[in-house]
Amino acid sequence: MTSRSTEHATFTIERHYDAAPARVFAAFADPAAKARWFGPSADVERTLDFAVGGHERFTVDGGGASYTYDARYEEIVPDTRIVYAYTLDRDETRMSVSVATVEVEPAGAGTRLMLTEQGVFLDGADTPAEREHGTREMLEKLDGVL
């Protein structure tokens, strides 16, 4: 029998971008913009309904497995805050369940972004360190898009 486990973790990443808060926020809201920095960039099936109660989903095949990100937007305050809950699955196995908050605010001529994720990582299929690393990489890609 497979060993079952849970690991709970919270991490916060702070970034500064040389772009106005509205532009940073739009990179989360616009499907074409978000596809350039969020998640894998090739061989991805994506949907994005950026509205409270709306869903975002993408599935990608990688290394012989299919990975699915499935999110629901819980709160959106334009140019200020996004709160969403999401799951990450590998094939039919649930890897994690998370709640994430993205906050943007003016900082000089640019923007300060704070992303906080609270997650439960299931059965060793993913770890908080791997998730934080991947999230940092995506926010670095966002800087290149802006």
Side-chain angles (χ1 to χ4, degrees):
M1 175 163 202
T2 301
S3 174
R4 304 303 245 175
S5 65
T6 57
E7 183 176 0
H8 299 268
T10 299
F11 62 85
T12 299
I13 300 170
E14 180 176 341
R15 290 293 312 258
H16 293 268
Y17 297 105
D18 292 329
R23 187 166 172 210
V24 174
F25 192 89
F28 284 83
D30 177 77
K34 193 163 188 185
R36 294 194 335 248
W37 68 270
F38 188 82
S41 57
D43 300 323
V44 179
E45 174 186 321
R46 294 179 184 270
T47 60
L48 173 59
D49 175 16
F50 189 76
V52 173
H55 286 87
E56 178 176 14
R57 181 181 175 94
F58 69 75
T59 301
V60 62
D61 291 322
S66 178
Y67 293 86
T68 301
Y69 165 90
D70 192 5
R72 174 184 158 89
Y73 290 96
E74 301 296 338
E75 182 180 58
I76 298 172
V77 178
D79 301 337
T80 304
R81 180 174 57 234
I82 305 164
V83 180
Y84 57 98
Y86 75 94
T87 58
L88 186 60
D89 299 339
R90 181 178 53 236
D91 295 325
E92 302 301 316
T93 301
R94 174 87 6 113
M95 298 171 63
S96 63
V97 180
S98 296
V99 174
T101 305
V102 176
E103 299 168 272
V104 297
E105 62 184 35
T111 298
R112 175 179 177 254
L113 179 142
M114 295 274 294
L115 184 147
T116 301
E117 182 166 329
Q118 301 162 290
V120 57
F121 300 84
L122 305 169
D123 304 326
D126 198 359
T127 69
E130 290 170 339
R131 179 65 51 82
E132 183 174 350
H133 175 77
T135 303
R136 285 183 186 281
E137 285 184 339
M138 285 191 295
L139 292 177
E140 182 71 26
K141 282 177 67 175
L142 172 59
D143 193 30
V145 168
L146 295 169

